[in-house]
Amino acid sequence: MTELCREISDKFSSIEATRQGMEDLGYICDKTIASAAYLSHHLGKPVLVEGPPGVGKTELAKTAAEYLGRPLIRLQCYEGLDESRSLYEWKYGKQLLYTQVLKEKINDLLEGARGLDESMKRLNNFEDLFFSEQFLEPRPLLQALKHKEGVVLLIDEIDKSDQEFEAFLLEMLSDYQVSIPEIGTIRAESTPMVFLTSNNTRELGDAMRRRCLHLHIPYPDEKQERQIVQSRVPEVPEKLRRQLVSFLQQLRTLDLKKIPAISETIDWARTLVLLHTESLDIEVVRNTLNVVLKFREDIETAAPQLSRITARAVIES
Amino acid sequence: MDRTLAQFIKILRGSDVRISIPEALDAVRALHLVGYRDRQILKASLGQVLAKTAREKAVYAECFERFFSFDSFSGLKKETDSPEESEKTYPPIPPSENQNPLIQSILGRMLLEGDHQGLAVSMAEAARSAGVSEIVLFTQTALFTRRILEYMGWIELEEEITNLEFSDAPEGKTLAAKLEEERDYLLEEVRAFVDQQLELYSVEPTRRIREKSLRRIDLSRAEHRDFQQMQLLVGKMARRLTALHSRRRKIHNRGKLDVRRTLRENLAYQGLLLKPRWKMKKRERPRIFAVCDVSGSVQTAARFLLMFLYSLNEILPKVRSFAFSSRLEEVTDYFEGAPVEEAIPRILSACGSGSTDYGQAFVDFRRLCYDRLDHRSTVIILGDGRSNYGNPRVEILRQIFERARQVIWLNPEPRALWSYGDSEMNRIAPHCHRVEACSTLVHLERIIGDILRTAA
């Protein structure tokens, strides 16, 4: 146990070490992102990650879990998510069985008891099993708290959940504990590392923001994006990689409905590898553009600019 | 707590970044972890702890750049190569061999040697002793510059220059001239530094005082140059109201079974009542019909009311706005798509000519949307109730009153003036659910807040 702790604190000995470690796992990040993971570990605070879709918010949590060698527990948020699906649920079936069993055994228990009063006294002496941890079905949040060695908990797209659920999370995020009315308060066995992601479809409350560290991941710059492509799709030749990244960087400056993110870059790189493309040309771009741009309008907006952008991408690299 | 960090947090708060005490404590811990060594990491780390929204991040970045800038004295000629070391662990000035024995004061020595780091540290210390973070007004710059210079050893420096000029040493005169030159440079740097500090620290108190007074200023007397600031304030208010009221609350009526829904939902279980459904009340957002008088007499006030309507449009999806002076027109479309500073002048020029005619306005209103009014509608009328002795047609107002959920009349004039001259407020008041004097932003906020709260 202590060895594990030491190993983990070694991994977070400095921001640079954290960055390097994550890079070795294929997650290219800058100092800002590394410092978020570093601070989260040392301050014991959850990290709220915001940024446009597809820049690697979820990936950060996955990488952190892999880096720490801890299991990742993921809770996907959606409208109507409540505590019975996120925290715990009673095992109704078993509870029913239990009452059946109890019914049969009750005569043995109460044998010899005279009057109602005495029967009640005897019953009270028994532990209340009906609402006990045995009948508790742990859902992701409770699983994360009860895990012995600590986990990485990913609460994905918190902005999709209701405001009530957000309020319910506050206790969990500030003290790493939850209250179950029938049982009491359950504390975390060891502090989990928590990541929350948000796409800002709804403005999150101040109380939530105060409890978290806040990390904003923007689109990567050209150099960083090249590194990411290299680490994720190593089959892409150097020349094509430069062209591809330069193309996307230019594409992002256009007025698009959905700006292509890193995930699109990677998809496109994979597509080009499959097509055995050596170098970008306008024909290839036209045929594969739908991998990068997902809306009809966007493709129409980009169409007249394509030859210019392609030419520039080819010249620049 | 670290002095520097405390000051930085003070500045951030002044620039409207909300930082709670636990967050400040987190910042201290984060600072312990990362230190001042790497500027980029420091910026990233403190940013994650202190600034929690995109807007705050932008403000934070700007403040950070201004606060943690160590470029003072960078123009100083470097004569000795000072070792590159981080600001915190800078050792006391090492006595160099080519030290001129004639120069006794530390300040003079640092100036001649071009020790810009030493000077910056000394200035920072002097600034702290002089209490520069208390600076509020630009008239204080001279005072603080003087104080900082004194703490840095200005007087000794002056004495030294005089001594050198009259000394017998051969190089005395040249040295004195050189020192004088450096002294002027020092003065300039310190003055620039104080100016920068003024910019940093004075933002908050000045702004707070201004905002406070603007909130209480009579709307019809607001000056043109205040408009921009008022607009920001109105926007802020609207945002706060949104945060309070944007949720639709459902109130569960505990214990009352909704028989119809229960039966319907349990059909799937062969009519066994497995899932009971309870009755609940939904609180609906009010549907607002806002009617605004924009004739000459109330135009300044109307400008703010329109501004507020514009912001309200963003909070509540179903606001319909109307403006009138002699005839009434719907202006909802003006608000959509156009920024507020364009929309309002356009409305004023479209509807603002002519003298007020409440009778005609009510007739038009009835024609346009009488049949849209129902038990959920709130009608807000903004006007001074002065109809130029024309018939205000209060009977139409009565019809509206009977049909809508509530009719609220906001009057920019104080109550005392309501019964004088051509004011029809006494005839109007019985046909409204509420009549309020509304002449400042504070009033406006209170009333709109009430409307949103009571609209159940």
Side-chain angles (χ1 to χ4, degrees):
Chain A
M1 187 68 195
T2 45
E3 204 163 284
L4 189 73
C5 284
R6 199 173 313 125
E7 198 181 306
I8 282 169
S9 62
D10 263 1
K11 283 179 175 169
F12 284 110
S13 61
S14 75
I15 291 176
E16 187 50 34
T18 316
R19 197 192 65 78
Q20 192 60 45
M22 302 228 271
E23 192 174 310
D24 293 343
L25 291 172
Y27 188 83
I28 312 291
C29 60
D30 57 10
K31 283 179 186 164
T32 313
I33 297 176
S35 66
Y38 174 80
L39 286 178
S40 165
H41 171 75
H42 287 283
L43 301 183
K45 292 212 128 200
V47 189
L48 172 64
V49 194
E50 285 189 311
V55 289
K57 299 189 289 291
T58 308
E59 207 57 36
L60 171 62
K62 287 185 187 163
T63 315
E66 199 182 339
Y67 182 52
L68 287 174
R70 288 176 176 179
L72 177 79
I73 294 182
R74 179 171 176 167
L75 175 67
Q76 178 71 42
C77 296
Y78 50 86
E79 219 177 303
L81 177 68
D82 56 9
E83 59 210 73
S84 71
R85 270 172 287 190
S86 60
L87 183 61
Y88 68 93
E89 176 91 285
W90 294 107
K91 293 177 180 165
Y92 295 121
K94 275 202 180 153
Q95 279 179 332
L96 276 177
L97 269 178
Y98 173 71
T99 44
Q100 298 286 330
V101 174
L102 201 66
K103 217 165 154 187
E104 278 172 21
K105 296 280 175 214
I106 195 96
N107 284 334
D108 305 344
L109 287 177
L110 297 182
E111 213 173 59
R114 267 168 300 162
L116 203 59
D117 269 356
E118 203 173 328
S119 315
M120 281 313 286
K121 259 182 210 150
R122 275 204 201 177
L123 265 185
N124 280 340
N125 285 337
F126 285 100
E127 217 183 332
D128 188 12
L129 276 177
F130 197 73
F131 287 116
S132 64
E133 288 198 36
Q134 291 179 31
F135 292 116
L136 212 56
E137 173 81 60
R139 302 285 189 200
L141 293 182
L142 194 59
Q143 279 170 18
L145 289 184
K146 291 181 85 171
H147 203 278
K148 288 274 183 301
E149 273 110 54
V151 293
V152 174
L153 175 64
L154 168 62
I155 302 177
D156 216 359
E157 311 201 27
I158 175 77
D159 52 327
K160 300 263 174 16
S161 69
D162 308 315
Q163 228 152 2
E164 289 81 0
F165 182 72
E166 191 187 311
F168 155 78
L169 272 184
L170 294 179
E171 184 192 5
M172 155 99 194
L173 292 182
S174 54
D175 300 332
Y176 297 108
Q177 64 174 41
V178 289
S179 306
I180 296 175
E182 293 88 348
I183 293 178
T185 307
I186 295 183
R187 278 177 197 290
E189 304 261 340
S190 79
T191 318
M193 191 169 189
V194 185
F195 289 92
L196 301 109
T197 72
S198 157
N199 283 330
N200 244 336
T201 51
R202 170 172 74 78
E203 194 65 29
L204 296 179
D206 271 352
M208 172 65 97
R209 288 180 187 277
R210 265 207 302 279
R211 279 166 176 80
C212 302
L213 303 173
H214 182 269
L215 171 68
H216 182 265
I217 306 186
Y219 292 114
D221 60 16
E222 197 158 346
K223 186 172 156 237
Q224 211 184 359
E225 194 167 13
R226 273 206 299 273
Q227 283 179 345
I228 295 171
V229 175
Q230 187 176 16
S231 111
R232 286 293 154 117
V233 198
E235 309 89 89
V236 181
E238 167 77 21
K239 194 174 89 186
L240 181 61
R241 189 164 61 230
R242 283 177 175 279
Q243 291 174 355
L244 173 102
V245 170
S246 156
F247 184 92
L248 271 151
Q249 290 278 341
Q250 291 178 59
L251 206 58
R252 283 190 195 125
T253 59
L254 300 182
D255 179 26
L256 299 175
K257 197 168 159 189
K258 160 82 180 75
I259 295 171
I262 309 172
S263 49
E264 271 89 10
T265 314
I266 292 169
D267 285 347
W268 201 31
R270 291 211 174 106
T271 316
L272 292 180
V273 167
L274 279 180
L275 296 173
H276 302 292
T277 316
E278 289 293 317
S279 164
L280 276 191
D281 60 60
I282 187 73
E283 201 56 37
V284 178
V285 170
R286 282 230 176 86
N287 289 336
T288 55
L289 196 64
N290 50 3
V291 179
V292 185
L293 297 178
K294 307 286 173 69
F295 286 95
R296 180 95 239 129
E297 300 98 290
D298 284 354
I299 294 180
E300 276 160 16
T301 319
Q305 316 263 4
L306 281 183
S307 49
R308 185 180 58 83
I309 297 179
T310 317
R312 217 177 125 195
V314 171
I315 293 167
E316 266 184 10
S317 48
Chain B
M1 188 158 132
D2 191 306
R3 267 279 217 11
T4 322
L5 185 64
Q7 281 179 357
F8 183 50
I9 288 175
K10 185 177 164 198
I11 285 167
L12 280 177
R13 283 191 178 136
S15 312
D16 226 8
V17 176
R18 281 177 56 181
I19 297 169
S20 63
I21 292 168
E23 280 172 316
L25 292 177
D26 281 343
V28 176
R29 287 165 64 199
L31 188 62
H32 271 297
L33 285 167
V34 298
Y36 284 106
R37 202 145 306 213
D38 187 326
R39 193 161 187 273
Q40 207 189 337
I41 285 180
L42 177 68
K43 187 177 174 184
S45 309
L46 286 184
Q48 282 157 14
V49 180
L50 294 174
K52 303 286 174 80
T53 62
R55 192 190 63 79
E56 286 182 356
K57 277 260 192 306
V59 176
Y60 165 83
E62 197 189 305
C63 285
F64 186 90
E65 291 304 332
R66 276 198 296 173
F67 187 80
F68 289 101
S69 65
F70 302 113
D71 50 2
S72 300
F73 300 105
S74 54
L76 208 61
K77 299 183 289 291
K78 258 193 180 176
E79 286 177 11
T80 54
D81 279 341
S82 56
E84 280 303 319
E85 258 173 288
S86 76
E87 185 248 344
K88 272 269 145 172
T89 55
Y90 192 73
I93 315 100
S96 46
E97 286 83 42
N98 58 356
Q99 210 180 86
N100 198 316
L102 286 172
I103 309 290
Q104 294 299 320
S105 71
I106 299 171
L107 182 62
R109 212 177 288 156
M110 282 198 288
L111 280 172
L112 278 188
E113 283 171 11
D115 177 7
H116 67 268
Q117 272 180 327
L119 281 170
V121 170
S122 144
M123 180 167 74
E125 276 165 9
R128 206 165 281 164
S129 322
V132 80
S133 59
E134 300 303 321
I135 193 166
V136 179
L137 294 169
F138 74 94
T139 45
Q140 290 170 305
T141 33
L143 170 74
F144 276 104
T145 312
R146 185 85 217 157
R147 270 198 209 157
I148 292 178
L149 284 172
E150 270 167 23
Y151 276 112
M152 283 176 82
W154 178 264
I155 295 168
E156 291 84 345
L157 185 69
E158 294 262 87
E159 266 171 22
E160 193 154 55
I161 293 177
T162 331
N163 287 342
L164 276 173
E165 263 176 10
F166 295 103
S167 75
D168 310 327
E171 71 261 28
K173 282 255 177 330
T174 38
L175 256 180
K178 208 169 165 197
L179 258 186
E180 235 166 76
E181 199 181 295
E182 297 292 355
R183 181 196 61 183
D184 293 346
Y185 172 75
L186 173 74
L187 180 63
E188 233 170 81
E189 280 294 315
V190 172
R191 199 173 285 151
F193 172 75
V194 174
D195 276 342
Q196 193 194 6
Q197 299 299 305
L198 172 72
E199 210 176 296
L200 278 172
Y201 288 105
S202 66
V203 186
E204 190 208 0
T206 337
R207 207 204 47 208
R208 227 193 284 139
I209 294 165
R210 264 189 83 63
E211 280 198 359
K212 211 168 157 190
S213 67
L214 277 179
R215 285 162 67 89
R216 303 198 176 274
I217 206 171
D218 197 325
L219 287 179
S220 50
R221 268 184 233 132
E223 287 172 44
H224 198 82
R225 67 191 167 89
D226 294 330
F227 283 177
Q228 189 123 35
Q229 186 108 34
M230 289 273 237
Q231 202 164 304
L232 287 178
L233 263 183
V234 168
K236 230 192 221 173
M237 263 182 196
R239 260 205 307 278
R240 191 162 54 232
L241 288 174
T242 325
L244 278 174
H245 300 286
S246 63
R247 279 178 70 192
R248 292 183 65 183
R249 284 165 203 276
K250 288 180 195 159
I251 302 172
H252 288 264
N253 238 342
R254 275 190 84 141
K256 280 193 187 165
L257 192 71
D258 188 339
V259 180
R260 254 188 334 168
R261 280 190 61 211
T262 310
L263 286 178
R264 193 162 54 228
E265 301 229 349
N266 286 304
L267 276 180
Y269 311 111
Q270 298 185 327
L272 282 174
L273 302 187
L274 277 176
K275 281 188 191 164
R277 292 284 155 197
W278 309 103
K279 281 190 175 165
M280 58 170 93
K281 278 186 203 153
K282 263 185 200 166
R283 289 181 96 180
E284 294 232 18
R285 290 202 201 109
R287 298 189 178 176
I288 292 186
F289 294 80
V291 183
C292 188
D293 180 359
V294 291
S295 63
S297 57
V298 286
Q299 207 166 56
T300 336
R303 187 182 286 271
F304 291 107
L305 300 173
L306 286 174
M307 223 183 247
F308 205 85
L309 280 185
Y310 184 92
S311 315
L312 212 62
N313 242 331
E314 288 164 7
I315 310 178
L316 301 165
K318 284 169 196 147
V319 180
R320 285 182 71 185
S321 319
F322 304 86
F324 73 95
S325 49
S326 52
R327 299 190 63 84
L328 179 133
E329 261 184 77
E330 174 149 14
V331 294
T332 317
D333 294 342
Y334 287 91
F335 285 145
E336 268 153 33
V340 63
E341 54 274 11
E342 273 175 39
I344 290 173
R346 267 167 61 198
I347 292 172
L348 290 178
S349 68
C351 318
S353 57
S355 59
T356 326
D357 183 347
Y358 279 94
Q360 185 59 39
F362 286 143
V363 171
D364 287 338
F365 185 72
R366 184 172 62 174
R367 181 173 50 80
L368 281 174
C369 57
Y370 184 65
D371 33 322
R372 295 274 168 195
L373 292 178
D374 56 20
H375 65 282
R376 284 170 296 193
S377 330
T378 297
V379 180
I380 307 174
I381 302 170
L382 315 152
D384 57 1
R386 295 189 180 274
S387 195
N388 298 319
Y389 300 106
N391 182 3
R393 306 282 299 268
V394 285
E395 71 278 7
I396 303 180
L397 185 61
R398 182 77 207 173
Q399 289 174 2
I400 298 171
F401 171 82
E402 276 162 9
R403 185 146 182 164
R405 178 178 193 89
Q406 52 180 346
V407 176
I408 297 168
W409 193 291
L410 305 181
N411 192 334
E413 284 184 354
R415 258 171 206 274
L417 292 178
W418 285 4
S419 46
Y420 291 100
D422 57 346
S423 176
E424 302 285 353
M425 285 313 287
N426 288 343
R427 287 172 69 190
I428 288 169
H431 309 297
C432 298
H433 294 87
R434 264 179 90 175
V435 182
E436 297 280 349
C438 171
S439 57
T440 67
L441 288 184
V442 179
H443 286 161
L444 193 57
E445 185 183 18
R446 196 160 52 214
I447 293 162
I448 302 288
D450 269 1
I451 296 172
L452 290 170
R453 198 167 20 252
T454 51

